[in-house]
Amino acid sequence: MLGVGAFRTRNRPSRSEVLPVPIGQMTWTLTDHQGRLVRPSDWAGRPVMVFFGFTWCPDVCPTTLSDISLWLEELGADANRLIVALISVDPERDTPDVLADYVSNFDPRIMGLTGPADEVAQAAADFRATYRRVAKDAGDYTMDHTAGVFLFHPDGRLASIIDFHEDRRFAVPKIRRTLS
Amino acid sequence: MKHFLLATALVLSAPAAMACETVTIGDLTVEHAWSKVTIGAGRPGVFYVEIKNTGTSDDALVGIATPAAGMPMLHETVVQDGIASMPHAMSIPVPAGQSVQLAPGGYHGMLMGLTTALKEGDSFPVTLSFEKAGEVTVNVVVLSLRAEGPDCADAGQ
Ligand SMILES: [Cu+2]
C-alpha cells in the first residue's frame, strides 16, 4: 500500500492522494549545508525525518524548525540516529553556505539540503511534495510548498506525516515509533 | 551601588519589558509585539502582536508601517491540501469583545525591504492602522529565530 505511489504517473490528481516512495526507491542527489553530496542510499538503515522549506520564509519554516528542535530536545540522545533534513525548494537562493547559516539557529542535528533545480524537483517528486514559485513586486518571489514533516522507518518505509497545524504533543510519539 | 545594580537590571530587561508593554487606543489593547532575527537584510522579517477589542463594535487591522522596512504587509499563512502559502491579508478582523493574534503559523506582518538585519534584542516601532480606532504605535522586540513569543507573566501562549 505504501509503495503504491512509486508506480503512479507524474500526472497525479492531488498530493493528498499519494504518499512518498520508500527512501530506497528515491533517486535524488543533493548537497548538504557542509557541501557534501547526499544520496538516499546514505540514509539506509536510519530513521528519517524530512520537510521542505526555504530560508527566505519568515513564518512557516522557522516555526517548523523550532518545533522540530523542541521535539529533538525532548527525545534527547534517542534521536541521535535520526536523519533530520530540510530540503530547500529555493535552491537559487539557498546555497549550502546560506543553509549552514540558517540551520545553525536550530538543533545541530538538523541538516540543510539543496542542489540543482532538477535534483530538487526529483526529491519533491520522490516525496510527493509540491512547491511553486509565486511572484511578488519588483522581481521578488516567495515559494508555496508542502508544509508537512515526513517520517520514515529505518527500512525506508513511510511511517507518518506530521501536519503543520497538528497538535505538537502527537509528534514526539510518532517520531519515537520510527526510532525502535 | 544599589542604584548601579538597579540601572543594570533595567537595561538588561528592557527588551522583554518592551514586548510586555501594553498600548491602548479606544477600545483596543495592543500587546506582546515581537519579531524574529533575520539572516541579513535581504530576507523578510516578521511581526507578531496580540490585539484585544474590549468594545462593542467590530474593528479591523488594515495596515502596518515601520521605519524598519520599506514594504511592510499583512499576510496570512494558509495551509491547504498540505501546502503552505502566504496570501496578502487586506484586513484582519478584530471583532467586538474578542482578541486576535498575529502569531506563528497564522496572521503575521511581513516586513519586506528591511533597512537593516534584525538582531536579537533590537527593537523597532510598528504603527498599526485600524479601520475605526485609527493608528497606534508599538515597540517591537526582536527575539531569536527559535522564539515562540515574548516571556510575559500574562502572555497568552
Ligand atoms: Cu508572510
Side-chain angles (χ1 to χ4, degrees):
Chain A
M1 188 260 176
L2 289 175
V4 95
F7 305 102
R8 291 257 184 120
T9 68
R10 292 280 161 83
N11 299 322
R12 54 193 190 273
S14 89
R15 198 212 139 262
S16 56
E17 292 181 54
V18 282
L19 296 169
V21 303
I23 300 280
Q25 290 174 29
M26 295 184 176
T27 59
W28 47 264
T29 302
L30 296 168
T31 302
D32 75 8
H33 64 279
Q34 294 176 307
R36 295 173 298 210
L37 282 185
V38 176
R39 294 186 181 83
S41 56
D42 298 331
W43 294 351
R46 307 260 306 256
V48 170
M49 178 155 74
V50 165
F51 64 105
F52 288 80
F54 63 116
T55 72
W56 285 63
C57 146
D59 186 55
V60 170
C61 307
T63 303
T64 301
L65 280 157
S66 300
D67 285 350
I68 287 175
S69 298
L70 285 174
W71 303 335
L72 292 175
E73 275 161 27
E74 192 174 332
L75 290 160
D78 290 353
N80 287 351
R81 276 188 58 73
L82 182 67
I83 299 279
V84 189
L86 154 69
I87 299 180
S88 173
V89 295
D90 186 14
E92 197 178 308
R93 294 188 293 203
D94 289 342
T95 61
D97 283 350
V98 166
L99 283 174
D101 209 349
Y102 192 70
V103 298
S104 72
N105 288 277
F106 303 98
D107 189 285
R109 288 169 285 191
I110 302 172
M111 75 168 90
L113 292 176
T114 186
D118 58 335
E119 291 295 339
V120 170
Q122 183 61 51
D126 288 341
F127 284 93
R128 305 296 187 247
T130 300
Y131 60 98
R132 105 186 124 239
R133 189 173 162 140
V134 181
K136 291 192 307 190
D137 300 335
D140 200 3
Y141 64 94
T142 184
M143 305 293 300
D144 290 356
H145 60 91
T146 296
V149 177
F150 299 100
L151 278 170
F152 295 85
H153 293 292
D155 64 5
R157 278 178 307 125
L158 179 73
S160 53
I161 297 171
I162 303 166
D163 289 328
F164 181 67
H165 280 126
E166 186 173 323
D167 191 322
R168 71 156 55 111
R169 282 172 304 176
F170 300 142
V172 169
K174 278 185 173 180
I175 300 167
R176 225 183 268 286
R177 279 196 287 277
T178 69
L179 300 180
S180 45
Chain B
M1 188 60 189
K2 214 174 194 176
H3 283 105
F4 171 76
L5 284 175
L6 187 62
T8 306
L10 283 174
V11 169
L12 290 175
S13 60
M18 222 176 254
C20 301
E21 197 174 78
T22 297
V23 178
T24 58
I25 178 167
D27 293 326
L28 303 182
T29 300
V30 180
E31 57 189 347
H32 306 147
W34 62 288
S35 178
K36 284 183 184 178
V37 162
T38 63
I39 299 172
R43 288 177 180 67
V46 75
F47 164 67
Y48 300 121
V49 72
E50 201 176 321
I51 304 153
K52 258 180 239 159
N53 183 348
T54 55
T56 52
S57 60
D58 297 344
D59 206 334
L61 176 64
V62 293
I64 49 170
T66 175
M71 202 171 46
M73 258 176 125
L74 296 173
H75 277 186
E76 182 179 14
T77 292
V78 177
V79 181
Q80 203 169 11
D81 297 328
I83 298 163
S85 62
M86 291 191 304
H88 177 199
M90 296 301 292
S91 154
I92 299 174
V94 189
Q98 291 186 36
S99 67
V100 171
Q101 285 195 356
L102 275 64
Y107 287 120
H108 57 273
M110 183 98 160
L111 310 177
M112 290 168 286
L114 286 176
T115 49
T116 174
L118 301 179
K119 302 222 168 9
E120 193 166 349
D122 284 358
S123 71
F124 59 90
V126 166
T127 300
L128 296 88
S129 300
F130 293 97
E131 200 172 72
K132 292 179 186 148
E135 294 189 346
V136 66
T137 300
V138 290
N139 272 309
V140 181
V141 54
V142 180
L143 305 179
S144 83
L145 259 181
R146 283 201 58 182
E148 294 180 81
D151 245 335
C152 304
D154 60 334
Q157 340 250 342

